[in-house]
Amino acid sequence: MAEERRMVTVGGKGSSLSSSSVFDIANGLSRLSIDSSALSKVSSSSNSKTSKTNAPTVSASFSILSNLTPDEARASLVVLLNKLLLSSSTSAAVNQLSDIILKDASSSSNLQISFDNTFDGVSPGDFSVAAIAGISAILDHQSSALSVITDAIAALSCEALGADISAFNLNDSGDGSSAKDVVSVASDLKILLNGSKFVNREGDEPAVSGVPVVHGKFREISRLLHSSTRVQLNSAIVSNSGSSGTASSMCTTLFSLAVALKDLGNISYNRAKHIVDSRIAGDDEFPAMLIKECPRPDQLKALFASLVSAHSDEEYVKFSHDVSSLLVMVEQIISWEALAAFLSLEGRDFITSGDTSVGEDSAKTAGKKGAKKKKILGKGTTALVQFLKDRLLSMPIQTEASQTVMVLENLVRNFLSLLDPKDLGFDTLLKKVKDIVESNESRRLPKLPKGTRDFAKEQMAIRERAFSIITEVFKRHGAAALDTPAFEMRETLMGKYGEDSKLIYDLADQGGELCSLRYDLTVPFARYVAMNGLTSFKRYQIAKVYRRDNPSKGRYREFYQCDFDIAGQFEKMMPDFEVIKILTELLDELDIGEYEVKLNHRKLLDGMLAICGVPQEKFRTICSSIDKLDKQSFEQIKKEMVDEKGLSNEISDRIGTFVKWRGPPVELLSKLKQEHSFLENNESSLALDELEIMFKALEKSKCIDRVVFDLSLARGLDYYTGVIFEAVFKGAAQVGSIAAGGRYDNLIGMFGTRQVPSVGISLGIERVFAIMEQLQKDKNQEIRATETQVLVSILGDDSALAAELVGELWHAKVKAEFMIHKKVMKHIDRARDSRIPWMVLVGERELSEGVVKLKDVVAAIDYEVPRGKLVDDLCKRLGM
């Protein structure tokens, strides 16, 4: 008995039309029903409109549908009907259309309408929009399914090719720079291939390594298409003047889909052809059939050119139809790829032998004489292949040996029907693939929050080296270490950061205390000084801070800061000189390349704003705008100052003149001292005197060549009161500011104690790490994750001997590891992979002769040493 078709109702209260419903109705998998209340509403609305107007009725010809496939035409009519119901159109139009759809549902596959007829109450533009939306619904439904299936097929191809899948080892960087769908595709493929012994046997294959990017882009565009189509399916008819814009907008998304489909088809064809050429080449019959029947790249190219031409000519209905045809062609290519991969992995024996086992299940027969070699596919692909075999074997196939060609033809027909979205079995396959991916235990691994990241052992080696250099520089200048809590009372942090206060992470109420994660290390330092009544303190702190910012390349929500601060009364401007000197020492010793330290003075900036005519109450907010000049043009900043902050164009232009001034410190200082307006202003005059003292000190310490005097530097934080500075990397990597700081004389006093003048610097170590990692890559330098000096290698299974030898080395402060294995090459490979320079090898001969063998791994030279002199000899060779 035929399966009962699902009923889809349109026009009902709260009902909405989905792409899947449109697809099912268009392909006869569901029946359409119109809610009776919607028909009544349309009828009453129609009578009301008829009594009020005698305007002429518009009409459209059914010829719009003449070049569409039957399912596309049906989808177009269903969408148009829903739009008419939502628009409360005339009952005549709704009845005429519903009669056509319901009559067609009981007829053959060909659409039962005359294309010469016209349809009253709908303009040609509205009809075109409905047609594009109907085709988009089909594309949406099929693309969503294809984005899942194509990943599974690609996984099978990876195993059929024995491909290198290292390109799938992608992780979300956490800073927003990673393409989410690319990483997601790579993750799904790793789930499907988890445990496979068939992959990583061959070299890199572009059609495999390109899968995450190509499939990820297709997945991204499919999601965009779903969002836009859902809106169009459930929106009323727009005015005729707006229909052309709607059609153009919808086709923009479809064009992106077409590009993604073309790339998807090409990469799938390349995998299929590679499988046929390299894996099934010994079979003369079937490869020829595969190559002959599978759509070729030149056919893809021709169809793509056709749709590009239609889009250029604004033939949007034809364009949409061509995109749909392109998707069908790509589905066919992927189906042939699936068949090629399946046959490469399983062969034809399962048809005649009735062997339905695959993967781990075949282990039961692996030990029997004559049994086939065990196939170890991935956990996901094992389940998928088994499902395909079970489905194929349930279909009627002739298995007589004399009818091999006919058997293969039947197999092809059955296999391709299983991958046909219109086939009832396709949904079962789709559900199976989704279950494999979503239920696999790997899927339940935790993920990182946005704006955070893990650091691998090689990255940690770079970080530890950098922290060591930074700590040594800080201690050289007499600083003591300080640590403060990761979270503070909210009242401690609020009101200290200006407009950036919105980026503070607030914590949930904990027993009546309102707390927030620290935004930086400066305010906690000021709080510590105030709480403990200190009047003088030189400290450093290296710790994580947290900001509720939008992650982007090089910008995280959790990151390290390395701070150095001097609090207390000292010689005028000498603490300021020292922190800038420390900054240059840090960046020079970290050896990151060219940089410059931009410097300004907050009082000079305030004097400049006063000279330009900015009201004093707007100084801080205008400083926040000026602080963005390293990221935006002055025209953008001017627009913000005028439109949002209420400055006049004249004042903004004056500011624009001054913020362009930058140059060598001594030269620009001399120029400013010749400007009477700056000398007459008390704030700017004081700032120029202080800068003169500091520049002389920097000159004498031979680091002033690293400093640039820049009047555009503003530093948006509210607590700065004097010198402000910022270090900027000038190399190829675009990382922006890598360090910043300044004087803050009033911050500590904000906590209700006396003022303690302070100045400090904060190194943005995350960006410095990014530069150091890139330099390592550019120099093609390998990074040692450990500092192990010696590998103690026991050739046997004597764990007590290993403990004795390595214990002696540890006691002598030698950095050593041990390994117990019978095969000497396992030990040597371990030493080479970990770049351990020395090995101590002990086997039966060495034990019997009372010696050990020392091996210089790099030079590949062996030395025999008496057992009792091992530690002394090794220490001498290591220079200890």
Side-chain angles (χ1 to χ4, degrees), residues 119-404:
F119 184 55
D120 295 334
V122 177
S123 71
D126 296 334
F127 209 161
S128 295
V129 168
I132 297 167
I135 297 172
S136 295
I138 293 175
L139 286 166
D140 173 27
H141 176 81
Q142 293 186 244
S143 295
S144 297
L146 188 62
S147 67
V148 176
I149 293 295
T150 190
D151 293 343
I153 303 306
L156 289 179
S157 293
C158 288
E159 293 183 305
L161 292 167
D164 177 3
I165 61 169
S166 58
F168 302 164
N169 295 326
L170 302 178
N171 291 305
D172 192 339
S173 64
D175 63 357
S177 63
S178 303
K180 176 183 176 183
D181 291 294
V182 173
V183 175
S184 179
V185 166
S187 175
D188 288 349
L189 286 163
K190 286 195 293 184
I191 287 171
L192 289 161
L193 294 168
N194 183 24
S196 175
K197 300 298 184 184
F198 273 57
V199 294
N200 294 323
R201 295 179 299 166
E202 305 289 345
D204 179 52
E205 165 58 41
V208 170
S209 59
V211 168
V213 173
V214 174
H215 288 213
K217 190 63 180 177
F218 178 66
R219 186 180 288 191
E220 175 190 346
I221 299 301
S222 297
R223 195 170 56 253
L224 291 174
L225 175 64
H226 178 73
S227 298
S228 61
T229 302
R230 182 175 55 189
V231 172
Q232 277 303 318
L233 292 181
N234 297 286
S235 60
I237 289 177
V238 297
S239 63
N240 192 38
S241 60
S243 59
S244 60
T246 302
S248 175
S249 175
M250 293 165 64
C251 289
T252 299
T253 305
L254 292 184
F255 196 95
S256 298
L257 179 68
V259 174
L261 281 168
K262 177 173 68 69
D263 294 342
L264 189 67
N266 281 326
I267 199 171
S268 175
Y269 180 87
N270 290 338
R271 287 193 298 268
K273 190 173 187 306
H274 194 170
I275 293 170
V276 171
D277 291 346
S278 62
R279 299 295 175 185
I280 327 177
D283 188 330
D284 293 332
E285 298 167 346
F286 203 64
M289 186 189 302
L290 280 171
I291 295 301
K292 179 181 177 182
E293 298 295 335
C294 180
R296 302 181 308 277
D298 60 312
Q299 293 173 287
L300 270 178
K301 184 177 179 180
L303 185 51
F304 185 77
S306 172
L307 67 86
V308 169
S309 176
H311 188 273
S312 179
D313 294 339
E314 298 185 2
E315 297 177 359
Y316 292 135
V317 176
K318 181 182 184 304
F319 164 76
S320 304
H321 164 73
D322 285 346
V323 176
S324 183
S325 300
L326 183 68
L327 184 140
V328 171
M329 186 179 290
V330 171
E331 286 176 339
Q332 292 171 349
I333 294 173
I334 292 170
S335 297
W336 282 104
E337 178 196 354
L339 183 56
F342 181 81
L343 286 175
S344 173
L345 292 168
E346 293 302 312
R348 303 178 190 169
D349 294 344
F350 78 94
I351 302 173
T352 54
S353 67
D355 176 19
T356 63
S357 61
V358 62
E360 295 174 350
D361 293 337
S362 62
K364 298 173 184 177
T365 59
K368 297 178 182 178
K369 186 177 180 180
K372 291 188 295 183
K373 187 179 179 180
K374 179 183 177 182
K375 301 186 185 74
I376 305 180
L377 304 180
K379 290 182 179 179
T381 48
T382 294
L384 178 60
V385 169
Q386 187 65 57
F387 172 81
L388 292 173
K389 291 179 72 172
D390 291 343
R391 292 284 299 181
L392 289 171
L393 291 171
S394 68
M395 297 176 178
I397 300 177
Q398 293 175 311
T399 58
E400 289 80 356
S402 61
Q403 295 178 312
T404 302

Side-chain angles (χ1 to χ4, degrees), residues 480-508:
L482 175 70
D483 190 25
T484 58
F487 55 91
E488 298 273 351
M489 298 295 291
R490 189 175 303 170
E491 63 191 35
T492 299
L493 304 181
M494 298 310 293
K496 313 297 191 305
Y497 304 106
E499 294 181 2
D500 283 349
S501 292
K502 62 188 178 185
L503 302 181
I504 293 173
Y505 263 114
D506 291 332
L507 300 178

Side-chain angles (χ1 to χ4, degrees), residues 479-593:
L482 175 70
D483 190 25
T484 58
F487 55 91
E488 298 273 351
M489 298 295 291
R490 189 175 303 170
E491 63 191 35
T492 299
L493 304 181
M494 298 310 293
K496 313 297 191 305
Y497 304 106
E499 294 181 2
D500 283 349
S501 292
K502 62 188 178 185
L503 302 181
I504 293 173
Y505 263 114
D506 291 332
L507 300 178
D509 182 2
Q510 297 295 324
E513 287 191 339
L514 297 179
C515 299
S516 301
L517 293 177
R518 61 188 174 205
Y519 177 89
D520 65 5
L521 301 178
T522 305
V523 171
F525 166 65
R527 188 264 309 151
Y528 176 84
V529 172
M531 268 183 60
N532 291 277
L534 303 179
T535 58
S536 177
F537 189 24
K538 184 185 283 189
R539 83 88 168 85
Y540 76 89
Q541 184 174 0
I542 300 174
K544 289 181 177 181
V545 298
Y546 305 88
R547 298 185 182 177
R548 196 165 52 86
D549 209 345
N550 288 322
S552 60
K553 189 171 181 59
R555 186 181 293 273
Y556 299 91
R557 290 177 170 174
E558 177 194 62
F559 55 94
Y560 272 99
Q561 281 189 341
C562 303
D563 277 26
F564 179 100
D565 292 84
I566 303 174
Q569 292 283 359
F570 296 94
E571 298 82 358
K572 191 173 185 179
M573 299 307 294
M574 292 311 291
D576 308 70
F577 146 72
E578 186 174 6
V579 295
I580 293 174
K581 175 61 176 170
I582 288 171
L583 174 57
T584 60
E585 288 178 10
L586 284 174
L587 298 180
D588 287 341
E589 294 184 30
L590 288 169
D591 196 24
I592 62 171

Side-chain angles (χ1 to χ4, degrees), residues 107-122:
S107 64
S108 63
S109 60
N110 294 323
L111 194 64
Q112 300 299 300
I113 61 171
S114 171
F115 294 123
D116 295 329
N117 291 346
T118 58
F119 184 55
D120 295 334
V122 177

